[in-house]
């Protein structure tokens, strides 16, 4: 009997999640891809849907498309936390108004028009991967949104070398509380 009640509750949570995502204008097929990803728990999905609803950003489909491909439980939890942080800290980040995709990553546009890349990471150090990522992202942002100041918002520490290199590429670094 207990298993039956759990299954009913899970179906209710998934139904509420679907309804919330549909209300955000996300196509049903894309919602299905996310909901069917077993790296997410039903609670993760509902928390993420409610956070995105609170955020009220345009083109949430870009975020859902990306996070639906989470290949591990850790990646799924990361995406859930990122949605929560975006919703909770939107005003600190200049008011998130939409999602856009740069370099395969869904990032955001603030009310000011600035590009905001908000990530919940422990630390950012300057590695070859970071260098390539920032060079490519900066070029793409300047091509698509010339004259804007991209913002890297992170919950983690940024090493002095990473901060200097990121700053030289025109990025502003903002520390946000997790």
């Amino acid at each position: 009997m207990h298993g039956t009640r759990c299954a009913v509750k899970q179906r209710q949570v998934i139904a509420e999640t679907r309804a919330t995502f549909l209300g955000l204008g996300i196509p049903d097929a894309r919602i299905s891809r996310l909901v069917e990803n077993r790296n997410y728990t039903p609670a993760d999905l509902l928390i993420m849907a409610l956070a995105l609803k609170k955020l009220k950003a345009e083109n949430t489909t870009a975020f859902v498309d990306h996070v639906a491909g989470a290949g591990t439980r850790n990646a799924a939890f990361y995406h859930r936390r990122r949605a929560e942080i975006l919703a909770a800290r939107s005003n600190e980040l200049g008011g998130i108004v939409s999602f856009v995709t740069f370099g395969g990553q869904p990032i955001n546009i603030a009310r000011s028009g600035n590009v905001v890349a908000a990530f919940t990471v422990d630390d950012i150090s300057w590695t070859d991967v970071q260098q390539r990522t920032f060079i490519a992202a900066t070029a793409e942002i300047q091509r698509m949104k010339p004259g804007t100041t991209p913002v890297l918002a992170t919950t983690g520490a940024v090493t002095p070398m990473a901060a200097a290199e990121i700053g030289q590429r025109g990025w502003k670094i903002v520390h946000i509380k997790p």
Side-chain angles (χ1 to χ4, degrees), residues 2-18:
H2 177 69
T4 303
R5 277 186 280 167
C6 283
V8 169
K9 273 282 198 222
Q10 285 185 347
R11 282 195 300 274
Q12 289 172 337
V13 168
I14 295 299
E16 184 177 345
T17 298
R18 280 186 178 282

Side-chain angles (χ1 to χ4, degrees), residues 5-58:
R5 277 186 280 167
C6 283
V8 169
K9 273 282 198 222
Q10 285 185 347
R11 282 195 300 274
Q12 289 172 337
V13 168
I14 295 299
E16 184 177 345
T17 298
R18 280 186 178 282
T20 302
F21 279 134
L22 283 169
L24 294 172
I26 299 169
D28 192 51
R30 291 174 176 178
I31 297 168
S32 291
R33 184 170 167 252
L34 174 61
V35 169
E36 291 166 8
N37 184 329
R38 295 295 166 227
N39 290 310
Y40 290 98
T41 66
D44 289 331
L45 294 168
L46 182 58
I47 289 167
M48 191 165 32
L50 294 173
L52 293 169
K53 179 181 177 181
K54 178 182 176 186
L55 185 60
K56 299 177 186 172
E58 294 178 13

Side-chain angles (χ1 to χ4, degrees), residues 51-112:
L52 293 169
K53 179 181 177 181
K54 178 182 176 186
L55 185 60
K56 299 177 186 172
E58 294 178 13
N59 195 24
T60 301
T61 301
F63 183 83
V64 170
D65 281 347
H66 180 76
V67 305
T72 65
R73 172 71 188 127
N74 285 343
F77 185 75
Y78 168 82
H79 295 311
R80 169 194 149 178
R81 284 295 300 143
R82 185 165 173 232
E84 290 178 282
I85 294 291
L86 287 171
R89 304 289 181 229
S90 174
N91 287 338
E92 292 172 41
L93 300 172
I96 301 297
V97 295
S98 70
F99 283 94
V100 293
T101 301
F102 284 114
Q105 287 289 322
I107 58 177
N108 302 97
I109 303 295
R111 265 188 232 103
S112 65

Side-chain angles (χ1 to χ4, degrees), residues 78-152:
Y78 168 82
H79 295 311
R80 169 194 149 178
R81 284 295 300 143
R82 185 165 173 232
E84 290 178 282
I85 294 291
L86 287 171
R89 304 289 181 229
S90 174
N91 287 338
E92 292 172 41
L93 300 172
I96 301 297
V97 295
S98 70
F99 283 94
V100 293
T101 301
F102 284 114
Q105 287 289 322
I107 58 177
N108 302 97
I109 303 295
R111 265 188 232 103
S112 65
N114 283 344
V115 174
V116 177
F119 297 105
T120 57
V121 295
D122 292 332
D123 297 303
I124 297 175
S125 57
W126 197 247
T127 63
D128 288 341
V129 171
Q130 295 290 7
Q131 182 178 12
R132 284 192 305 272
T133 300
F134 275 95
I135 288 171
T138 302
E140 191 171 350
I141 289 166
Q142 292 308 320
R143 192 171 51 255
M144 302 290 274
K145 305 247 337 139
T148 64
T149 300
V151 176
L152 170 65

